[in-house]
Amino acid sequence: MEDTSIGRSFRSSFRVNSNTGSLREDNEDEIELQYWAALERLPTYEKIKTSLFDHNNGDEQKKMVVDVTTLGALERHLFVEKLITQIEEDNRRLLMKIKERIDRVGLQLPNVEVRYKNLCVEAECVVIHGKPVPSLWSPFQRAISGLMNIGPCKSEMTKIKIIKGVSGTVKPSRLTLLLGPPGCGKTTLLQALAGKQSESLKAIVKKDQKQYWYHEDQPYSYIPVNEFADKFREFHVGLQLEQELSTPCLRTERDKNALSFNIHSVRIWELFKACLAREWLLMKRNSFVYVFKSAQLVVIALITMTVFLRSRMKISVNGGNTYVGVILYTILRLGLNGVVELVMTAAKLPVFYKQRDFYFYPAWTYAIPIIILKIPISLLESFLWTLLTYYVIGFSPEIQRFFGQFFVLFIVHQVPLSMLRLVASIVRYPPIASIVGMFCLMVILLFGGLVIPRASLPGWLRWGFWATPVSYAQIAISLNEFLAPRWQKVSSSNTTIGDQVLNQYDINYNHNFYWISIGALVGFWVIYNSGFIFALRFFNPLGRSQTITSHEKFLRLEGRDILDNHSQTTVLESETKGMILPFEPLAISFENVQYYVDAPQEFVAEVLKLIELDEIKDALLLWSGMMSINLDLKRGGNKRFLKTTAYGHFGRDDPDFTWEVVKSLKWEKPQS
């Protein structure tokens, strides 16, 4: 009853003739608007499954309102195809309507005209007096010969002009085309105009102009770039350009509105929230890594607490040494659990540099979310380790000492993460960053008392103990444990057991040094994170190596050819480098090329489960099964295909070659 009333109210909302649901009016636009207005008045459930169709009835085209859920397979296929093919046209119509509205009210949009005159770009280059053959010894040899200016391969730094004295103007509301052969400086020009010129430019070489030589009846001769520039300035286009550039540009208030004087188009707080949401999304996508790390830590904690059961731990000097070993292993375990952060940070740097250079966001809005969102992970992993191992191993039972160790382990987990992020942002090359990161961890563990106790270090290396965060972590956890009441028993040497253990490792301080160590660890965390933000702000992605060229090639680039300094010389065929093709290269153009591959039936069956539209299912069945059925490809097994390997099959009239005959494919239900 409800569906009938909805359909009746819909049909009564506009006049229809017979059962076609179309209107016959002179103004088709008004008719279509009436249809769409009627569709908007429908209930939501009916509106989402109702659409307006073009229906051709002979020479007459009508509009028809159709429930898309009642369409057949062919109609659904045409409907989806029309939606896909009309996307670009809809965009064009939208832009044209916006333009018409702007022109109708006489509104002039702000525009910008770019002018540049005598633009020059230079690149540094190493000129070698000799053969610039790359080898492992070459950099050291160039460094030594450069300092002493001796040797068979003397080098010097010079500058090569990539762009010299270029002038032009880019008009607003026009499409400007920049043409030129590869390596002529097109990208360099655009980067210079945008103020994004890279500091590591690749110096260019003299390109072979012969492929661009127009006069086939005349022998080719090399034309220097300076001569090209002079001819262009004498040309009427060059003279007109010079006249335009000499005319001062009119600056108005409207032109100022076309430029943005803010570095970032969005408020900083909004950028920070966007970066925070993006980092959270990346963490969710990489959730397997964090879950695996936490599960791995739990397994290692279970193994650790079974190895060091409290029933085996004694309150004695030897037992204290065992506790110190457990403390150092705990620091090592939590510190190494953040090594994956180095790899993940280095992998994300290329995308960050591109977005930073395009002023998507400042560096600190990218770095701070990374720092903040890793804090819950450190809290979770340090709490899991402390919860599983503290009482089972047999540390001091006071609850305040439990949380004291947990707090130190939380900071211990954060400090290596910050340090490895800093290493990744400075080195910027993942393989080398991994090596440098492992080396830094090894040095920290070496001087931090894990490998060599402080008492065993030479006097001139004692400073290394205080320069590593592991030392302060060891002091804080050791003081938290060995200053507990149960370690205050006086031994025969008239000192407490806890003091004897601390004296063995030369870390016997009062309880206040626990908070001093906490402050030192927080200081390391701040320094590492500040360095991370600083590196993201001021460091650039690794560029290409410096260009090296021979002295002879440099003279040619400067237009001072050794053979002939002033005259144009005809380029001989022997000077042409590269491979000479034994045939005339041809250009072939393609349009609407389609290529189909038969897919296995198992693959198609899995894909069909994920597809809801029947027309797409039919198309997949046609590709995968109907060719085989219509062409009877399975007949005769593989014997029929032996002929193709022996004689070929193109253009043969063999009846086994069913694919040689043009045939319209039809859908048939595949046999199960």
Side-chain angles (χ1 to χ4, degrees):
M1 179 65 68
E2 183 179 357
D3 294 340
T4 306
S5 61
I6 292 175
R8 185 165 55 251
S9 62
F10 177 73
R11 287 190 296 271
S12 62
S13 62
F14 44 79
R15 305 295 183 183
V16 295
N17 294 331
S18 67
N19 295 325
T20 60
S22 62
L23 294 177
R24 296 183 179 181
E25 300 287 343
D26 296 334
N27 194 337
E28 295 183 356
D29 292 338
E30 293 184 0
I31 296 174
E32 185 173 354
L33 290 176
Q34 291 177 4
Y35 271 109
W36 287 114
L39 290 175
E40 290 295 329
R41 291 194 294 270
L42 287 176
T44 304
Y45 177 74
E46 293 294 327
K47 184 165 53 177
I48 61 176
K49 64 178 184 178
T50 307
S51 182
L52 194 63
F53 275 72
D54 293 330
H55 178 67
N56 295 324
N57 187 8
D59 297 335
E60 185 179 2
Q61 185 174 4
K62 302 177 181 180
K63 297 292 183 181
M64 184 171 62
V65 179
V66 177
D67 186 351
V68 295
T69 60
T70 61
L71 295 176
L74 180 60
E75 287 80 3
R76 283 199 298 268
H77 177 74
L78 295 176
F79 177 61
V80 175
E81 184 179 0
K82 183 178 180 181
L83 289 178
I84 297 175
T85 56
Q86 295 296 324
I87 293 177
E88 296 183 359
E89 180 65 21
D90 292 341
N91 293 335
R92 188 189 69 83
R93 291 173 59 187
L94 175 62
L95 295 176
M96 291 300 298
K97 289 182 179 180
I98 295 175
K99 181 179 181 301
E100 292 175 0
R101 294 185 62 183
I102 293 175
D103 296 339
R104 193 182 308 157
V105 297
L107 180 64
Q108 293 184 356
L109 297 178
N111 51 50
V112 176
E113 179 177 319
V114 180
R115 294 187 177 189
Y116 52 96
K117 187 174 183 180
N118 297 328
L119 178 64
C120 297
V121 177
E122 295 180 341
E124 290 186 351
C125 179
V126 179
V127 180
I128 302 297
H129 294 269
K131 294 183 178 181
V133 180
S135 64
L136 295 176
W137 170 243
S138 298
F140 302 100
Q141 186 180 19
R142 287 195 298 269
I144 297 174
S145 61
L147 292 175
M148 304 182 64
N149 200 21
I150 58 175
C153 193
K154 295 186 293 183
S155 62
E156 59 180 344
M157 293 294 299
T158 187
K159 292 184 177 180
I160 297 178
K161 293 183 178 179
I162 307 297
I163 297 177
K164 178 182 178 182
V166 177
S167 303
T169 178
V170 180
K171 297 288 186 180
S173 303
R174 293 185 184 180
L175 183 63
T176 303
L177 180 62
L178 183 61
L179 294 176
C184 68
K186 300 185 295 297
T187 304
T188 303
L189 173 62
L190 295 177
Q191 290 178 344
L193 294 179
K196 291 292 182 182
Q197 189 58 59
S198 173
E199 296 181 359
S200 59
L201 276 176
K202 192 73 175 178
I204 57 175
V205 298
K206 184 176 72 174
K207 297 294 180 180
D208 186 12
Q209 297 179 352
K210 187 175 182 181
Q211 55 184 329
Y212 304 104
W213 189 254
Y214 177 73
H215 302 284
E216 297 182 356
D217 55 339
Q218 300 178 8
Y220 163 72
S221 60
Y222 173 72
I223 299 178
V225 178
N226 294 334
E227 186 174 345
F228 268 116
D230 294 338
K231 294 295 184 182
F232 177 78
R233 294 189 185 97
E234 297 174 0
F235 195 54
H236 67 90
V237 178
L239 296 175
Q240 182 181 358
L241 177 61
E242 185 69 23
Q243 184 178 0
E244 290 181 0
L245 293 176
S246 61
T247 304
C249 181
L250 298 178
R251 303 177 183 270
T252 61
E253 291 293 331
R254 182 175 60 85
D255 296 329
K256 292 182 180 180
N257 296 330
L259 299 175
S260 176
F261 297 94
N262 297 324
I263 298 179
H264 306 288
S265 58
V266 185
R267 292 184 302 172
I268 297 298
W269 176 245
E270 298 296 330
L271 293 175
F272 175 77
K273 292 194 296 184
C275 292
L276 186 66
R278 196 238 342 234
E279 185 62 25
W280 173 244
L281 178 62
L282 292 176
M283 289 182 62
K284 289 194 295 184
R285 290 179 178 176
N286 298 323
S287 59
F288 172 78
V289 177
Y290 300 104
V291 173
F292 178 79
K293 285 172 50 186
S294 300
Q296 183 186 40
L297 192 69
V298 169
V299 173
I300 297 176
L302 294 174
I303 297 174
T304 303
M305 72 184 189
T306 55
V307 173
F308 302 99
L309 282 175
R310 63 184 302 161
S311 59
R312 304 173 186 173
M313 309 294 284
K314 306 299 181 181
I315 306 300
S316 62
V317 176
N318 292 332
N321 293 331
T322 306
Y323 275 105
V324 172
V326 175
I327 292 172
L328 293 176
Y329 177 74
T330 300
I331 297 174
L332 173 65
R333 182 64 264 169
L334 289 178
L336 294 179
N337 207 43
V339 174
V340 69
E341 186 70 16
L342 183 145
V343 180
M344 298 177 67
T345 301
K348 293 187 293 185
L349 284 179
V351 177
F352 161 75
Y353 285 129
K354 291 181 180 180
Q355 296 176 348
R356 182 203 63 180
D357 293 341
F358 284 114
Y359 300 108
F360 280 19
Y361 43 77
W364 67 267
T365 60
Y366 172 83
I368 292 181
I370 297 177
I371 299 170
I372 293 176
L373 292 178
K374 298 302 185 297
I375 292 178
I377 297 177
S378 297
L379 285 172
L380 175 63
E381 295 186 354
S382 57
F383 182 75
L384 287 175
W385 181 275
T386 309
L387 181 66
L388 292 174
T389 62
Y390 189 85
Y391 287 109
V392 178
I393 292 177
F395 286 101
S396 298
E398 294 83 5
I399 189 63
Q400 66 271 19
R401 299 192 183 276
F402 171 85
F403 285 104
Q405 186 178 119
F406 161 68
F407 185 53
V408 176
L409 293 182
F410 161 68
I411 304 178
V412 167
H413 192 278
Q414 274 285 301
V415 171
L417 289 179
S418 306
M419 186 196 69
L420 294 175
R421 281 196 295 261
L422 174 62
V423 170
S425 61
I426 293 177
V427 179
R428 292 162 289 167
Y429 185 57
I432 304 299
S434 300
I435 298 174
V436 175
M438 292 298 100
F439 177 77
C440 293
L441 287 176
M442 183 185 67
V443 171
I444 289 176
L445 297 176
L446 178 65
F447 286 96
L450 183 63
V451 180
I452 304 176
R454 181 192 173 202
S456 302
L457 286 174
W460 59 278
L461 281 180
R462 293 289 178 91
W463 61 268
F465 180 82
W466 300 108
T468 59
V470 175
S471 305
Y472 298 96
Q474 179 189 2
I475 293 174
I477 300 178
S478 299
L479 293 178
N480 182 71
E481 173 61 26
F482 294 109
L483 294 182
R486 67 174 186 166
W487 293 96
Q488 301 307 311
K489 298 179 181 179
V490 179
S491 64
S492 58
S493 60
N494 203 20
T495 57
T496 63
I497 299 176
D499 290 340
Q500 290 184 23
V501 176
L502 295 175
N503 287 329
Q504 285 185 353
Y505 296 93
D506 201 8
I507 53 175
N508 190 6
Y509 303 102
N510 56 29
H511 190 266
N512 293 331
F513 214 87
Y514 171 85
W515 296 107
I516 295 176
S517 301
I518 293 294
L521 290 174
V522 174
F524 278 109
W525 181 80
V526 172
I527 292 173
Y528 290 151
N529 286 319
S530 301
F532 175 56
I533 298 175
F534 180 86
L536 292 179
R537 170 63 180 83
F538 294 101
F539 283 22
N540 293 319
L542 295 176
R544 293 171 291 188
S545 59
Q546 197 171 31
T547 304
I548 302 173
T549 185
S550 63
H551 183 67
E552 294 78 6
K553 186 176 293 185
F554 171 72
L555 294 179
R556 295 193 191 100
L557 289 173
E558 292 295 316
R560 295 173 291 173
D561 201 302
I562 297 177
L563 298 178
D564 190 355
N565 294 334
H566 303 288
S567 61
Q568 300 179 4
T569 58
T570 303
V571 177
L572 301 178
E573 293 294 333
S574 60
E575 297 180 357
T576 304
K577 297 182 180 180
M579 181 179 65
I580 301 177
L581 299 177
F583 54 86
E584 183 73 13
L586 300 176
I588 304 176
S589 60
F590 298 91
E591 185 177 6
N592 296 330
V593 177
Q594 297 181 2
Y595 181 75
Y596 301 96
V597 178
D598 287 343
Q601 289 292 337
E602 295 80 4
F603 171 78
V604 176
E606 292 296 328
V607 173
L608 293 178
K609 295 178 181 178
L610 306 176
I611 299 176
E612 298 180 359
L613 295 179
D614 291 338
E615 64 273 15
I616 300 180
K617 291 184 179 180
D618 297 340
L620 285 176
L621 288 174
L622 183 64
W623 292 343
S624 59
M626 290 305 102
M627 287 187 179
S628 177
I629 294 175
N630 283 269
L631 300 179
D632 198 14
L633 296 180
K634 297 182 180 180
R635 173 172 55 86
N638 294 328
K639 295 182 179 180
R640 62 188 301 199
F641 298 104
L642 294 178
K643 302 178 183 179
T644 64
T645 59
Y647 310 108
H649 63 83
F650 291 104
R652 301 183 63 196
D653 297 328
D654 196 301
D656 286 337
F657 299 158
T658 55
W659 52 83
E660 287 293 323
V661 181
V662 179
K663 181 180 180 181
S664 299
L665 299 180
K666 61 181 180 179
W667 191 93
E668 295 180 12
K669 186 175 181 59
Q671 299 296 328
S672 57

